[in-house]
Amino acid sequence: MLKPGDKAPDFTLPSTEGKDVSLEDLRGQKVVLYFYPKDDTPGCTKESCSFSENLGRVKKKGALIYGVSADSIVSHEKFIDKYSLSFPLLSDESREMINAYGVWQQKSMMGKKYMGIVRTTFIIDEKGKIAHVFEKVKVDGHTEEVLAALS
């Protein structure tokens, strides 16, 4: 798992804004990059809606927000439309970036083990370094944790 001070792995991924987003292009800005398991599931919806409702507060702290999952752009667009999300989502269907950030891990539910995205948020500073990592995120109160870390 990446830790504060590490160089954030570069990426270029398609976004719901109709263009590719790369970390290189975001240099000079703080970035909140949150990884979530699947569009339109209860925890992911709650987390995404909370970030969307607080986007103004995040922007006041000089940061951008991007959500990342392995879902397709079409799935992301439906998710954004259904919940009126106010920031772009990035699609990593190949899971290359998801693996680079170390969030594709073994999970278990009711005794069954499987591989999936572990809900994780990274704050990347203006120079492209990891400033903060939130591992195995609990959705309730997470947006406030991120806002506090952006101070």
Side-chain angles (χ1 to χ4, degrees), residues 26 29-33 55 58-59 62-66 87 150:
L26 301 174
Q29 300 175 83
K30 289 184 264 187
V31 178
V32 175
L33 199 60
L55 182 61
V58 171
K59 283 184 172 181
L64 302 172
I65 298 177
Y66 291 94
F87 56 86
L150 285 170

Side-chain angles (χ1 to χ4, degrees), residues 55-97:
L55 182 61
R57 293 172 66 201
V58 171
K59 283 184 172 181
K60 280 183 184 171
K61 294 188 180 267
L64 302 172
I65 298 177
Y66 291 94
V68 183
S69 79
D71 294 304
S72 69
I73 287 294
V74 170
S75 175
H76 281 345
E77 288 170 343
K78 289 177 184 173
F79 186 43
I80 284 174
D81 289 346
K82 184 172 181 179
Y83 296 101
S84 301
L85 302 179
S86 54
F87 56 86
L89 300 176
L90 306 179
S91 174
D92 186 17
E93 291 184 271
S94 71
R95 296 194 303 264
E96 186 176 328
M97 177 194 182

Side-chain angles (χ1 to χ4, degrees), residues 79-148:
F79 186 43
I80 284 174
D81 289 346
K82 184 172 181 179
Y83 296 101
S84 301
L85 302 179
S86 54
F87 56 86
L89 300 176
L90 306 179
S91 174
D92 186 17
E93 291 184 271
S94 71
R95 296 194 303 264
E96 186 176 328
M97 177 194 182
I98 289 165
N99 281 309
Y101 278 77
V103 300
W104 186 256
Q105 299 176 16
Q106 185 172 311
K107 300 166 77 171
S108 64
M109 182 182 286
M110 295 194 263
K112 181 182 172 206
K113 293 185 189 294
Y114 62 98
M115 297 299 289
I117 296 172
V118 175
R119 193 180 311 279
T120 309
T121 300
F122 295 89
I123 297 176
I124 302 170
D125 71 15
E126 298 88 343
K127 295 179 181 176
K129 299 239 184 225
I130 304 290
H132 204 96
V133 181
F134 299 90
E135 296 181 60
K136 297 179 183 170
V137 167
K138 302 291 181 230
V139 173
D140 289 332
H142 181 54
T143 301
E144 292 303 321
E145 290 177 321
V146 170
L147 285 162

